[in-house]
């Protein structure tokens, strides 16, 4: 057995993503589907990648797509005789991958557009997998040939289109548990020729386990054993829990599992352990007699007294995080309908909803999962999160009830979660049965909070404002001169403190009111009690005033971006309230992309528009109206998606920018991605310049990076004597941005000799800086 070595690096992502174009992933590996032991490690398949647990040191580590996984949503895994891990993808992407955990590299990938991989059976030179293809089941066969495994064949709709539960190989025989009985066949023979072992074994077969030349299986809550040399079978036990889902047999006990209980059977007694419904996914045995359960909350170890001891890795609380923001101190906060996760410098901690009182975890060990809990309903989803002028986190909650400790806005101190405020229907409007849906929030430059209240069907108050003194004012749709309906979806505030509101179409809701479209609200004085106010319904193109607007964003140059079902467009604003738009009949970008209710437009530090979608990843329109990344040779706009980038999912729900360091954080269906982009805030000087790697070893595929440069910087590489050996002129924004690369070559293209070199960076305005780098040529 090869020695398993893992280096666990827990660093803030800026240090892990030094180069523009570097990616990282943050997934939740709490939901463990399957565990296999290997040496002193437990290896788990989770919906956030591979989970590794060091039994000796009791330390977790995780592997995801950045480490070479074909996908992170894993439904099953098994280890072959070479020590490679066979990974099965979960719904909806049932891929098969052979992976080297030791070297963190892919050996082979097989993707035939299956829905899910259910099980593997592995022999020396033969592997079967059970797959699900929509509602059908079948087998895949892999054989070892010319020093590698290849895909041999598919056996769809086997057997007779029925469900297959498990497959097992023992020497020359293959056993398959299905919902219509136990099938047996010879290795290498056509599965369509495999037969029922017995006409009596024609019911739903649950589980297969080989132990000491005996095959165990469950049928109708009865445990059977088959002696493999003659295939004779007998009933040996009757489970007392209903509908068992899995079992395991050891020398001194039998363990059954169903959705609510664990049953442990010994010679002396039978013991039931209650569990949360569907919280245990599978059972595994390690070190001969030890039992561990794969659960929805990490690993559950069976103690000697038959109690369960849970171990949870330090990860975000879930993968489907719908909103994300960056705090002023650089910390990431992401959230969904179950709570919040905060990325601290040394790991993750969470704030989760609970039906109990406030519970704060006083001692925090970032080796494991950390969570405080609040009696707060986070709703169906969090539609927007912002840090307020009081440094607290403001969460727009979509889909909650006041009588469930819910409110449309949650205001919380993430460093002291017991300090929170719920804003409910006292100030907000609501749908039927006090169902509150807040779609968007934003702060103006004076610290006033503006609220887009969708489905404002009871009070007819689609827009609210809260002052820094916590005073509220709500605007009735009837008092807006027909400018706004009851379905505001998004809002943005321009440099003149005018509030722009985009609404979606819903003719059943907006009866007697405008149906969708763009609205502008202007006022003089304080928004709680203005001296003057005016409402305007804006017609963008004279033909489609009632369009749906999914998202709005305003740049510092007062360019208003609008995301609609037709695509992304923008208009340039001007001061005149009665004529606020300079250009007419705007152009629509990305018209072939399907934008829906979760689609958003966000602006980075250079005022480029990033458009996220529910199925097509991300599209970027630069501030100069060109595309990034560049269009390909066919003049098609390239998107940032799972086909060409390490994006965890094409379903992207939100994006936030670390403007100082040039990092985009993306919340997706399958976790969080971070991406070093060439669009950071402009540097005023060279005080934060970084050069890496140091020393610089050549030849290398990765060039030297000079980081944190001023815009339009150039580089001269010189010897200590001052001779210029290489000049690199101003780099273009969008390619390298605030970084310059040097490949270790002189002007003639030859590698330089070992030694110390001077690096001079400068701009045309006379700014300059010098630093040194040691070069080692091999």
């Amino acid at each position: 057995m090869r020695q398993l070595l893992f280096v666990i690096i827990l660093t803030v992502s800026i240090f892990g993503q030094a180069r523009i174009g570097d990616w990282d992933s943050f997934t939740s590996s709490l939901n463990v589907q399957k565990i296999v032991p290997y040496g002193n490690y437990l290896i788990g398949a989770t919906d956030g990648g591979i989970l590794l647990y060091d039994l000796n040191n009791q330390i977790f580590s995780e592997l995801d797509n950045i480490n070479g996984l074909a996908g992170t949503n894993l439904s099953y895994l098994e280890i072959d005789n070479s020590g490679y891990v066979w990974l099965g993808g979960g719904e909806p992407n049932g891929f098969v991958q052979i992976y080297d955990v030791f070297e963190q590299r892919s050996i082979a990938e097989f993707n035939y557009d299956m829905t899910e991989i259910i099980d593997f059976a592995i022999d020396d030179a033969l592997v079967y997998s059970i797959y699900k293809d929509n509602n059908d089941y079948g087998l895949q066969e892999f054989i070892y040939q010319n020093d590698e495994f290849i895909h041999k064949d598919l056996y769809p709709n086997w057997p007779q289109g029925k469900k297959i539960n498990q497959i097992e190989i023992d020497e020359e025989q293959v056993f398959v548990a299905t919902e219509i009985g136990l099938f047996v066949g010879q290795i290498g023979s056509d599965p369509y020729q495999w037969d029922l072992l017995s006409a009596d074994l024609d019911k739903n077969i649950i589980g297969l386990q080989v132990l000491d030349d005996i095959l165990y299986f469950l049928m109708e809550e009865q445990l059977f054993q088959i002696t493999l040399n003659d295939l004779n079978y007998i009933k040996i036990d009757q489970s007392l829990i209903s509908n068992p889902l899995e079992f395991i047999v050891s020398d001194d006990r039998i363990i059954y599992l169903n959705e609510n209980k664990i049953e442990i059977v010994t010679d002396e007694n039978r013991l039931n352990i209650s569990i949360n419904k569907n919280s245990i996914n599978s059972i595994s045995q390690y070190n001969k007699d030890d039992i561990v359960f794969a659960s929805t909350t990490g690993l559950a170890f069976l103690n000697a007294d038959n109690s369960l001891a849970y171990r949870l890795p330090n990860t975000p609380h879930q993968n489907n995080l719908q909103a994300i923001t960056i705090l002023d101190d650089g910390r990431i906060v992401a959230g969904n309908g179950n709570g919040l996760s905060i990325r601290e410098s040394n790991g993750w901690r969470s704030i989760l909803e609970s039906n109990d009182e406030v519970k704060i975890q006083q001692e925090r060990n970032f080796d494991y999962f950390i969570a405080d809990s609040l009696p707060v309903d986070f709703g169906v989803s969090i539609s927007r999160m912002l840090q307020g002028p009081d440094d607290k986190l403001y969460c727009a909650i979509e889909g909650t009830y006041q009588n469930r400790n819910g409110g449309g806005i949650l205001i919380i101190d993430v460093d002291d979660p017991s300090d929170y405020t719920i804003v409910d229907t006292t100030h907000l409007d609501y749908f039927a049965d006090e169902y509150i849906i807040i779609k968007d929030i934003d702060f103006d430059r004076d610290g006033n909070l503006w609220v887009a209240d969708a489905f404002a069907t009871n009070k007819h108050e689609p827009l609210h404002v809260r002052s820094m003194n916590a005073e509220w004012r709500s605007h009735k749709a009837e008092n807006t001169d027909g400018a706004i309906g009851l379905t505001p979806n998004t809002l943005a505030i321009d440099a003149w403190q005018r509030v722009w509101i985009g609404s979606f179409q819903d003719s059943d809701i907006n009866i007697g009111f405008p149906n969708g479209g763009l609205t502008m609200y202007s006022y003089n004085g304080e928004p709680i009690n203005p001296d003057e106010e005016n409402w305007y319904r804006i017609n963008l193109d004279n033909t489609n005033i009632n369009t749906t607007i999914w998202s709005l964003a305003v740049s510092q140059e007062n360019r208003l971006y609008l995301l609609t079902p037709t695509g992304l467009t923008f208009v340039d604003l001007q001061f005149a309230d009665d004529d606020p738009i300079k250009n007419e009949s705007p152009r629509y970008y990305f018209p072939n992309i399907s934008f829906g209710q979760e689609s958003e437009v966000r602006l980075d530090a250079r005022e480029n528009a990033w458009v996220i979608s529910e199925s097509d990843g991300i599209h970027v329109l630069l501030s100069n109206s060109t595309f990034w990344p560049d269009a390909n040779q066919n003049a098609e706009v390239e998107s940032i998606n799972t086909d060409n980038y390490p994006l965890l999912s094409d379903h992207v729900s939100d994006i936030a920018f670390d403007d100082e360091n040039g990092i985009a954080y993306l919340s997706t269906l399958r976790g969080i991605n971070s991406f070093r982009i060439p669009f950071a805030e402009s540097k005023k000087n060279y005080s934060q310049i970084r050069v890496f790697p140091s020393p610089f070893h050549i030849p290398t595929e990765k060039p030297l990076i000079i980081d944190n440069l001023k815009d339009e910087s150039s580089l001269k590489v010189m010897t200590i004597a001052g001779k210029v050996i290489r000049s690199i002129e101003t780099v273009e924004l969008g390619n390298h941005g605030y970084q310059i690369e040097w490949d270790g070559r002189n002007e003639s293209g030859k590698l330089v000799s070992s030694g110390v070199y001077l690096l001079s960076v400068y701009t045309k305005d006379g700014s300059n800086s010098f630093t040194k780098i040691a070069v080692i040529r091999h």
Side-chain angles (χ1 to χ4, degrees), residues 437-450:
I437 304 172
I438 300 301
K439 285 289 190 179
D440 200 7
I441 55 175
D442 202 0
F443 288 96
D444 63 26
R445 65 170 176 259
D446 295 327
N448 301 302
L449 175 68
W450 295 85

Side-chain angles (χ1 to χ4, degrees), residues 321-341:
L321 298 170
Q322 299 140 339
I324 192 166
T325 193
I326 310 296
L327 302 181
D328 291 343
D329 58 15
R331 287 181 294 173
I332 313 163
V333 183
N336 65 5
N338 290 302
L340 308 172
S341 284

